[in-house]
Amino acid sequence: MQYRRLGKSGLKVSSLSFGSWVTFGTQIAGDSAVNMIQTAIEAGVNFFDNAESYSGGESERIMGAAFSELALPRHSFIVSSKYFWGIHDTPHTKFTLNRKYLIEAVEQSLERLSLDHLDLIFCHRPDPDTPIEETVWAMSDIVGSGKAHYWGTSEWSAAELIEAYRVADKHHLRAPVMEQPQYNMFNREKVEKEFAPLYENYGIGLTTWSPLASGLLSGKYVSGVPKDSRAALAGYEWLKENLTSKEANEKVGRLQAVASKVDSTLSQLAIAWCLNNPNVSSVILGASKVSQLKENLAASEVVDRLNPEIIAEIEEIIS
Ligand code: NDP
């Protein structure tokens, strides 16, 4: 496993990490969750991604129980949570980044995880109804209180981030350290174009999500929706259109041939392609089975096989 600095911070995160969206609480719990975390740890993963909203808080409970079951020393892992959607049905705790919500939501995550601090906390989406100043102040205070070590954002625009840096600078507050955007062969615009000025000017680090575009880039949707897949789950119908797109699956078929050339699976090729971007600090993997996770973790070994000809072949297919 390779470890990369989280942007310009001193924190080193494993270049492959593991997240629990969709899986923990919906597809996985108890011993299966423990096995997943154990598998990741054995491969050298030190960063685990979570969010308040994943399975309405259940995902944090399951992950916290797995950490306890494995008796992992607190210094040995980095864990995150994310805030915006809210899990309590009140007007001031939903779709918001207000100060009261953020401070109380972090406390509640800690209870569910049975931890006394988080390592990374994210504003899960931007909130046009709360001034960025209020949010930056609250996140900076949470870090100052010791309840979290670093704060960042997810799916904010470059302009919103620049405003956050301006506010932090003006008031001598802690600034965002990391962003969590989607990044995969089919979604590259934000990471490669929009954020381009942020890496050098602000030293932002990236923990990127959905390296397989929810499983599309594993090749499993080329001939329909497998019964045990994410697209077949109740409540995830909205993903189906993308996952079964004829145009996307035609590209997936062509990418499969490139994967064979480098002696890897398509999933490994897709993940290695994300790792190949030096601005990415950590690629967050998702998996519903230990076998998938093991396959995906081996993507680290494929990065060196991505020579300029292979990259050009991929580019020709996906652009
Ligand atoms: P992926 O795009 O890699 O999709 C993971 C899913 O694809 C698995 O759960 C599994 O689903 C399927 N899969 C994975 N590996 C294989 C394989 N080798 N062969 C076949 N199928 C495979 O990642 P996620 O979308 O799960 O995102 C990763 C993490 O990123 C999340 O857990 C979360 O922590 C974070 N995230 C953050 C977001 C944000 O807004 N900040 C948004 C989304 C995710 P199945 O078996 O059920 O088909």
Side-chain angles (χ1 to χ4, degrees):
M1 181 63 70
Q2 187 194 35
Y3 299 87
R4 297 183 180 181
R5 284 175 67 188
L6 185 59
K8 69 172 182 195
S9 83
L11 187 70
K12 287 198 174 140
V13 288
S14 47
S15 58
L16 293 176
S17 44
F18 178 62
S20 58
W21 178 53
V22 182
T23 54
F24 281 23
T26 303
Q27 296 168 295
I28 298 173
D31 287 348
S32 316
V34 174
N35 286 341
M36 289 294 220
I37 304 272
Q38 173 80 32
T39 303
I41 294 274
E42 279 166 8
V45 167
N46 71 355
F47 167 40
F48 297 90
D49 185 62
N50 215 319
E52 174 200 46
S53 58
Y54 294 171
S55 290
E58 206 43 35
S59 170
E60 290 178 327
R61 274 193 207 96
I62 293 169
M63 192 177 274
F67 292 150
S68 302
E69 170 80 22
L70 292 165
L72 296 180
R74 184 64 188 89
H75 69 263
S76 67
F77 64 91
I78 294 163
V79 61
S80 71
S81 196
K82 307 192 277 291
Y83 306 94
F84 170 68
W85 277 283
I87 52 172
H88 304 296
D89 203 8
T90 49
H92 52 281
T93 58
K94 291 225 132 199
F95 310 103
T96 185
L97 295 174
N98 75 65
R99 180 180 179 85
K100 174 178 165 63
Y101 160 73
L102 288 171
I103 291 175
E104 293 174 4
V106 168
E107 291 281 359
Q108 291 159 24
S109 283
L110 292 175
E111 269 175 44
R112 287 188 292 269
L113 283 157
S114 298
L115 296 175
D116 63 6
H117 67 277
L118 283 144
D119 298 290
L120 315 182
I121 50 171
F122 292 86
C123 296
H124 212 157
R125 289 293 180 273
D127 168 19
D129 293 338
T130 300
I132 284 191
E133 202 156 45
E134 176 175 337
T135 298
V136 172
W137 212 289
M139 295 301 272
S140 178
D141 282 351
I142 295 168
V143 172
S145 75
K147 298 270 162 72
H149 292 318
Y150 303 86
W151 81 272
T153 59
S154 178
E155 294 296 339
W156 280 32
S157 66
E160 286 158 339
L161 276 159
I162 289 168
E163 178 59 6
Y165 286 116
R166 192 193 62 76
V167 167
D169 192 46
K170 180 174 166 199
H171 299 290
H172 304 289
L173 300 171
R174 290 167 177 89
V177 168
M178 67 284 173
E179 226 291 321
Q180 190 169 125
Q182 180 171 193
Y183 185 53
N184 55 56
M185 286 179 178
F186 293 147
N187 294 277
R188 349 166 30 190
E189 183 75 18
K190 194 163 209 160
V191 165
E192 294 180 7
K193 298 221 166 77
E194 186 185 336
F195 283 176
L198 301 183
Y199 307 123
E200 209 161 293
N201 295 346
Y202 300 96
I204 197 152
L206 301 181
T207 62
T208 59
W209 58 269
S210 286
L212 301 181
S214 264
L216 172 62
L217 283 159
S218 71
K220 70 204 279 180
Y221 293 101
V222 167
S223 44
V225 175
K227 277 201 183 71
D228 63 346
S229 68
R230 178 177 292 185
L233 292 173
Y236 291 88
E237 295 80 9
W238 55 275
L239 277 173
K240 228 183 244 172
E241 196 181 322
N242 265 349
L243 291 173
T244 55
S245 145
K246 212 172 147 214
E247 193 195 341
N249 278 295
E250 188 268 327
K251 290 182 182 177
V252 166
R254 294 175 63 203
L255 288 166
Q256 186 74 65
V258 183
S260 304
K261 261 194 195 174
V262 296
D263 204 14
S264 80
T265 67
L266 180 52
S267 298
Q268 290 165 343
L269 180 77
I271 293 163
W273 180 90
C274 298
L275 282 173
N276 203 41
N277 183 331
N279 293 315
V280 172
S281 303
S282 190
V283 175
I284 312 175
L285 305 176
S288 67
K289 298 177 182 71
V290 167
S291 57
Q292 291 174 352
L293 185 56
K294 284 189 172 159
E295 176 186 337
N296 299 352
L297 285 164
S300 309
E301 293 153 30
V302 176
V303 183
D304 286 347
R305 298 176 215 160
L306 303 186
N307 61 37
E309 294 88 76
I310 294 291
I311 290 289
E313 269 188 57
I314 295 173
E315 194 63 39
E316 197 269 314
I317 298 170
I318 64 178
S319 50

